[in-house]
Amino acid sequence: MKKAIAVSVLVCLMSGPEPGSAGQVTPYGFVRFDAVFDDSRLSHHQYPNWVKSEPPGAENNSNLTIYPRLTRVGARFAPAEVGEGSEISGVIEADFQNGGSESRQILRLRKAYFNLKKGDWHFLAGQTWDLISPLFPAANNDGMMWNTGNLGDRHPQARLTYKPGTGFSAAVALGQTGAVDKQDLDKNGILDGWEAAVPFLQTRVGIEHGKFKAGAWAHRGSEKTATPVAGNSSDFTSSVAGVDFSVSAADRLTVEGEGWTGSNLSDIRGGIGQGVNTQTGEEIPSSGGWVHVLVKPGQGWKLYVGAMTDTPDEEAVPEGGRTRNQAVYVVNRYRPWKSFQAAVEYLHWTTEYKGLDDGTANRVDLHFTWNF
């Protein structure tokens, strides 16, 4: 039955109206193969967010995982007129990183949204990337270096954007709190973000001028429990403010990154996955960010060198909690043809703990991608 459903979904993604008609569907995607070696245990062998604590003198616990789970299939629905001066477009996208065995992977929905445009205004509704933290580090395409300095994930949301075509943009989004961390501190079977009965709010203002892009953004969400946590509070707020930038020199050098500070950030991939201290009932503040340099040494080559960190307030973290998560990486990508890419990336990763020994890992990922 599951196989039949998956096949039906893929067929729907690949089919559409006749070429040239309004709302034409364009299939896209890629087949990707990863072979990953870790010399220490991470939070997950394929999409890690931190390194597990290692006792002094302990032998490294290495592992190798080989998989095609990042293979992706999608469909873009070209703009179609729905009224005078208005048009609607959309995207549906899925991959296979949703559990199952390494020979029985399960389809995962990544994006499903429509975008209604009229003049300088855009209204988007569905599931897509968060409005905040719009850039991505080059390494670890599975875990996206979440909880190591990179914020944001995909949430169900409704978004309104004003983009007049002058290089300026302003946007606001309302979305589902708890969609990522599924926090239920009082264990009553209702997610704390649902129980708050209000959506999260995200805003971003951006500018673009030539090869310079920058933005400022903020997030605020509410959570509620039926009973106080640690006898302290039953109302919690998730909030963050941050900036992003990208600047290029000629066509061979680009520097980009993000910086942010906030508290109770587990639902948007911050605080090293720690939102509320259940021992004290207090929100955990955290600050972090990332930066990388992209160099294009020759035709088809891209070389990235980056560093990142997520640093919660140590006093607010419970005993045994994570107090710093940082990594440096080098990524080398080569595209001999437009449709094919070979890449190798190296990560040196360190996670510090309160009252426990640090964890350090070296991670190498060799991957090949065929785009269609």
Side-chain angles (χ1 to χ4, degrees):
M1 182 63 179
K2 289 182 178 179
K3 288 185 178 180
I5 294 174
V7 170
S8 297
V9 171
L10 292 175
V11 169
C12 289
L13 289 176
M14 302 298 288
S15 61
E18 290 296 319
S21 66
Q24 177 182 345
V25 180
T26 302
Y28 70 91
F30 53 77
V31 176
R32 174 161 161 163
F33 169 90
D34 284 76
V36 182
F37 173 81
D38 301 307
D39 70 357
S40 297
R41 294 284 191 259
L42 290 96
S43 59
H44 191 277
H45 57 282
Q46 290 179 358
Y47 48 91
N49 287 173
W50 57 79
V51 187
K52 293 183 177 181
S53 175
E54 299 174 304
E59 293 186 7
N60 284 339
N61 293 305
S62 58
N63 62 267
L64 172 69
T65 176
I66 299 173
Y67 58 98
R69 289 180 178 270
L70 291 181
T71 294
R72 184 181 306 175
V73 62
R76 295 187 182 94
F77 296 80
E81 277 196 36
V82 291
E84 186 175 345
S86 300
E87 60 183 29
I88 192 166
S89 58
V91 169
I92 298 176
E93 182 180 284
D95 67 9
F96 298 88
Q97 189 56 277
N98 196 33
S101 72
E102 291 314 310
S103 63
R104 301 291 189 275
Q105 297 86 352
I106 301 173
L107 197 67
R108 174 180 70 170
L109 182 67
R110 288 171 51 89
K111 300 178 183 178
Y113 67 83
F114 69 83
N115 185 43
L116 179 62
K117 180 179 182 295
K118 184 176 178 63
D120 299 331
W121 294 90
H122 302 251
F123 175 69
L124 179 151
Q127 177 168 297
T128 189
W129 291 104
D130 287 339
L131 180 58
I132 65 168
S133 187
L135 304 180
F136 303 99
N140 185 20
N141 299 131
D142 252 316
M144 304 297 297
M145 300 311 294
W146 288 319
N147 296 299
T148 319
N150 181 38
L151 294 185
D153 201 329
R154 296 178 295 271
H155 283 86
Q157 61 187 274
R159 178 188 302 182
L160 184 64
T161 302
Y162 175 63
K163 196 170 184 178
T166 60
F168 170 81
S169 64
V172 59
L174 301 175
Q176 177 65 67
T177 301
V180 170
D181 66 0
K182 300 180 182 178
Q183 183 170 278
D184 181 15
L185 296 176
D186 55 3
K187 308 299 182 185
N188 68 345
I190 302 175
L191 300 187
D192 301 337
W194 297 4
E195 197 154 359
V198 292
F200 68 61
L201 171 67
Q202 294 183 351
T203 60
R204 182 180 182 272
V205 176
I207 57 170
E208 296 184 26
H209 182 71
K211 296 182 178 181
F212 174 76
K213 302 176 183 178
W217 35 267
H219 164 94
R220 185 177 180 86
S222 297
E223 298 163 333
K224 185 178 180 62
T225 57
T227 56
V229 176
N232 185 1
S233 177
S234 58
D235 294 287
F236 302 95
T237 299
S238 171
S239 62
V240 71
V243 295
D244 62 82
F245 74 93
S246 176
V247 57
S248 298
D251 294 321
R252 293 188 177 272
L253 177 66
T254 300
V255 181
E256 57 186 8
E258 298 177 338
W260 49 267
T261 185
S263 65
N264 188 13
L265 304 179
S266 57
D267 193 48
I268 53 171
R269 303 292 189 178
I272 325 183
Q274 304 160 122
V276 174
N277 185 332
T278 57
Q279 299 176 8
T280 64
E282 297 179 349
E283 297 150 2
I284 298 176
S286 190
S287 298
W290 62 273
V291 62
H292 70 208
V293 177
L294 163 62
V295 179
K296 299 178 181 178
Q299 183 67 32
W301 288 96
K302 289 184 178 181
L303 177 66
Y304 298 83
V305 179
M308 53 203 323
T309 185
D310 186 338
T311 309
D313 181 350
E314 185 170 354
E315 293 184 0
V317 173
E319 193 70 18
R322 298 172 290 274
T323 58
R324 182 186 295 273
N325 200 21
Q326 57 190 15
V328 294
Y329 62 81
V330 178
V331 177
N332 190 9
R333 298 175 179 171
Y334 177 56
R335 192 184 291 267
W337 312 289
K338 184 177 180 180
S339 62
F340 181 79
Q341 176 180 274
V344 60
E345 55 189 63
Y346 167 73
L347 274 156
H348 180 73
W349 207 327
T350 301
T351 306
E352 299 176 8
Y353 291 80
K354 185 174 182 178
L356 296 176
D357 296 298
D358 299 347
T360 301
N362 294 288
R363 179 178 177 87
V364 178
D365 184 357
L366 174 66
H367 51 91
F368 302 95
T369 307
W370 168 60
N371 298 275
F372 60 84

